[in-house]
Amino acid sequence: MLLFFILGLLVHFVFFGSIFDIYFTSPLVHGMTPQLTPLPPPAKRLVLFVADGLRADTLYELDENGNTRAPFIRNIIMHEGSWGISHTRVPTESRPGHVALIAGFYEDVSAVAKGWKENPVGFDSLINESRYTWSWGSPDILTMFAKGASGDHVYAYSYDADNEDFGAQDVTKLDTWVFDNMKEFFHAARNNQSLFSKLNEEKIVFFLHLLGIDTNGHAHRPTSREYKDNIKVVDEGMKEIVSMLEDFYGNDGKTAFIFTSDHGMTDWGFHGAGHPSETLTPFVTWGAGIKYPQRVSAQKFDDADIAPLMASLIGVPFPLNSVGILPVDYLNNTDLFKAESMFTNAVQILEQFKVKMTQKKEAILPFFFTPFKLLSESKQLNILRKARSYIKQRKYDEAVSLCKELIQLALKGLSYYHTYDRFFLGINVVLGFVGWTSYASLLIIRSHSSFTRGVSKEVKKPSHLLSCSFIAVGVLVAFFLLIQDCPWTYYIYCLLPVPIWYAVLREFQVIQDFVISLLTFPPSQLAGYLFIFTLGIEVLVLSFFYRYMLTAGLIAFACWPFITQLWIRAKSISLSWIFFSLLLAVFPLMPVVGRKPDIFLVIGAGSLVLLLSLCVLTSLIKRKDRFINEELLLHLFQMLSIALSMYVVYSTHHSLLKKQGLPFLNQIISWIILASSFVLPLLSPTSLFERLFSILLSWMSAYLLLSTGYEALFPLVLSCLMFVWIQMEQETLQQSGVSYRQKVTSLQFTCNLDITQFRHLYLDDIRRAFFLVFFLVTAFFGTGNIASVNSFDLASVYCFLTVFSPYMMGALMMWKILIPFVLVMCAFEAVQLTTQLSSKSLIFYIFTLGTPGWLSVLVSAFGSGSNPRVLGLSSTSEFLHGACFSLCLFSASLSVCLT
């Protein structure tokens, strides 16, 4: 049992990790030569304003009175510069957004989980290529580029991280701090000759990171007065900074300005996914080298790649890892400069393609290597030669067009080589999953079912030929990977299927006996079972894409008593099952995001829990001859925790509305309640009902603190359904012919049932295992869709902390997701006791049922071709299936500790 469990953990965690090697690998390559436009740049210095979290529509639209929120920026748009839309990419978070802005490439998605303050991989950026850079703003962003730069030419000035408080009275101070400190810096420079000379150098950058808008958006939503007033503060601050710089440099006309944002924000105050409100950001540029506004009949919004534009304006090499295309339409310069800049841009991206192709070619045996046919070496030389010829002939438009064509081909080639091993790794993962499913199924058939009852259970010693064959295959695979210099993780993905399939073929006799047993079934009955099994698995898979499939499944569950004898023999329990199944089916239909906080629903959920606990307490006092004082005190203390949670939620909500911050007493109470929720269930009686109810009370108190609306009702309804499920499964024992039956009220989690009471698995046990997996998926997606990062509301953790702390906030949100998981697993422990099932056999079933779902999601990625949207959904859902299964295993272990 223990060996199989460890093997199961190993297999699933290994293939869970394979998702990152298949989909989420770093796109960076190194070894390119810097490319610089061979003409003098129009600007000596660049000023980059980044208003974190600013939506394009909120900046550009007029207010309810028909006035602009940003008069200075509006004046720039109308009279001095160019404007448009910059389009960010998922994940719309600050770190990847700033990397795209300043370095010009889309960072590996997994880098978001590696921290905002450090660089998991080295990359080149505009800041690194500049002569000097001075930056002001958030420590989370500035240190990322300061530590990644070579030399000591980057200077960062940031406020304390504790100032990033979502509950602060006025977070516009984050922006006014930046403006005030930059003014003081330039004032001091007038009396510092060394600094003054540096500021008058060429190729310098000033970077102002403005976090107030993003913080106000999270705290109050983008439609709030605070968010819109913050835009006015930024607009006024920019006006003062621009005026100061022009005065400092004597209006020399050599300063270029860019104003943009790293990402937008949804109406509900979050970002991370791909909604247009998150991906569409404003872009305004003016000053040296920038085209003046022109009146047109229709506005055309072309995406602006900002990193190559900034490099071109101040004459520094394009960032080595940039994949951006220079937006020449924004440049106010000669056609020769535009053509030369675009040619440099094309060569810079082509250099990355060459390095990527060389790296892949050197790592693969020549007869296995398949080059990117659309951009052969001869075609590269031909396009470059032709583009240079056009420039010499002054056919600048043709040269620009040809360079853009070369860039597009090079970008396709980069993507081709970046995903070169995806199919190879995917095939190995599929082989491993199919083998693991087969092996787990064969163990169930051999040891825990009656299919092979008439067959000897002894495992025949495998032939030497089989053993030698698989050893030879393993050696060949290892040698094949070794000569290609593959990463060590490839050895795991490719070699793991070998022992798994060896174990499968060792059970050939079981396979043969199972096939013979299946042939004894009527074909129609066999087809029916197969159809139901396939339908159930597909419902699970589709629920990762469409939450309403959970509603359809729960409605089907509600019909279960009608297709059995339960409706006749246990009508009251069946009615309860139908009621709570249908009630739980409502939650997947509720909006995942966009909901406004409704504290009264949280208070209502707490009141229902208190009312239920009073009824249970009364029932226990009446049923027990003597109610131990310790048990009564524990029960009352848990009820007090619920009441305190309700008070903290209400008090904190109103304190934040008044902009008075998070009360310290509330914060202390919240952490005490969270910590006690782990301990109190262990002090409760070990009787099945009392222990389960104690777990519900303790963890509901913590869940209430993490709730902002209707989701507070979800664990309560789920737990009620779980209690009814336990009763329903006991009722099915009579129907299945199991003679042993013990009342639920008399069962103890600590009781040691006689091993002879455990039985073989029946078809009904497949249904029980499927119920468990389905309830776990419902617990995962019942109130949210974690495939979308913006489904997490930061307001959920405001009872614990309001100062920005990504890891602590993320841990609290994950705990909120895990609580329903553990409630389901604890209930399943009780089902195991009531139905006399061994844990070993049920774990076999869970592993077997969990794998096809993950496999289906993985295979769907192969059918997506080059469609990035479909491929993104597949990779994300595969990740979610793995995360769901990992949480299932963790919550199973935790439920064992609690029960």
Side-chain angles (χ1 to χ4, degrees), residues 27-312:
L28 297 183
V29 290
H30 301 282
M32 292 80 68
T33 304
Q35 301 295 321
L36 181 65
T37 303
L39 293 174
K44 288 184 177 180
R45 66 200 70 91
L46 172 80
V47 183
L48 174 62
F49 300 94
V50 178
D52 203 305
L54 177 60
R55 290 166 47 150
D57 58 344
T58 310
L59 176 69
Y60 291 143
E61 69 185 9
L62 303 177
D63 62 18
E64 57 275 5
N65 298 320
N67 300 321
T68 177
R69 298 189 180 94
F72 173 73
I73 296 175
R74 172 70 65 170
N75 181 68
I76 294 294
I77 291 173
M78 299 299 295
H79 302 104
E80 296 186 34
S82 298
W83 69 289
I85 299 291
S86 53
H87 198 147
T88 63
R89 184 181 290 185
V90 177
T92 47
E93 297 290 344
S94 290
R95 178 192 170 93
H98 280 88
V99 169
L101 281 173
I102 299 175
F105 71 95
Y106 297 105
E107 196 173 22
D108 169 18
V109 178
S110 64
V112 176
K114 297 177 182 176
W116 282 257
K117 301 179 182 179
E118 302 293 340
N119 293 321
V121 290
F123 58 85
D124 191 26
S125 69
L126 175 84
I127 289 176
N128 187 52
E129 295 290 353
S130 67
R131 182 162 295 169
Y132 294 107
T133 292
W134 288 271
S135 56
W136 294 265
S138 168
D140 299 330
I141 298 300
L142 301 189
T143 55
M144 180 174 71
F145 293 100
K147 292 184 179 180
S150 58
D152 56 354
H153 65 286
V154 179
Y155 306 95
Y157 305 94
S158 59
Y159 40 75
D160 191 80
D162 291 340
N163 291 337
E164 300 175 17
D165 189 347
F166 298 107
Q169 185 173 4
D170 181 18
V171 296
T172 59
K173 64 183 181 183
L174 298 176
D175 296 337
T176 56
W177 184 97
V178 171
F179 296 133
D180 292 342
N181 275 265
M182 187 174 182
K183 293 175 189 175
E184 294 174 4
F185 173 80
F186 273 88
H187 179 73
R190 294 183 182 274
N191 302 317
N192 187 327
Q193 187 59 40
S194 174
L195 178 59
F196 186 84
S197 61
K198 288 182 179 179
L199 289 172
N200 281 278
E201 294 274 0
E202 297 181 346
K203 303 178 180 180
I204 63 175
V205 175
F206 301 107
F207 172 35
L208 288 78
H209 177 246
L210 308 168
L211 188 61
I213 293 176
D214 182 78
T215 308
N216 263 317
H218 285 306
H220 305 288
R221 307 296 188 261
T223 56
S224 66
R225 178 179 56 83
E226 291 83 357
Y227 184 88
K228 295 173 181 177
D229 287 348
N230 205 150
I231 296 177
K232 297 178 181 179
V233 172
V234 168
D235 182 74
E236 184 62 30
M238 287 175 56
K239 180 180 179 181
E240 295 174 1
I241 293 298
V242 171
S243 176
M244 179 198 67
L245 289 172
E246 289 178 345
D247 178 66
F248 185 87
Y249 289 108
N251 295 300
D252 63 352
K254 291 295 183 179
T255 306
F257 300 90
I258 289 180
F259 173 74
T260 187
S261 176
D262 57 340
H263 56 75
M265 187 171 290
T266 60
D267 291 337
W268 48 93
F270 218 77
H271 53 83
H275 192 273
S277 61
E278 300 167 86
T279 59
L280 299 180
T281 53
F283 175 69
V284 182
T285 180
W286 70 99
I290 298 299
K291 186 179 292 185
Y292 288 96
Q294 299 176 351
R295 191 172 297 277
V296 294
S297 57
Q299 179 69 46
K300 182 182 179 182
F301 293 101
D302 290 326
D303 288 345
D305 288 326
I306 299 175
L309 175 63
M310 294 190 295
S312 176

Side-chain angles (χ1 to χ4, degrees), residues 446 452-460 509-510 513:
R446 177 167 61 86
T452 58
R453 184 173 297 174
V455 183
S456 174
K457 302 293 182 182
E458 294 183 3
V459 179
K460 294 182 179 180
Q509 185 64 45
V510 178
D513 296 338

Side-chain angles (χ1 to χ4, degrees), residues 310-323:
M310 294 190 295
S312 176
L313 288 173
I314 60 175
V316 299
F318 288 82
L320 294 176
N321 305 114
S322 172
V323 293

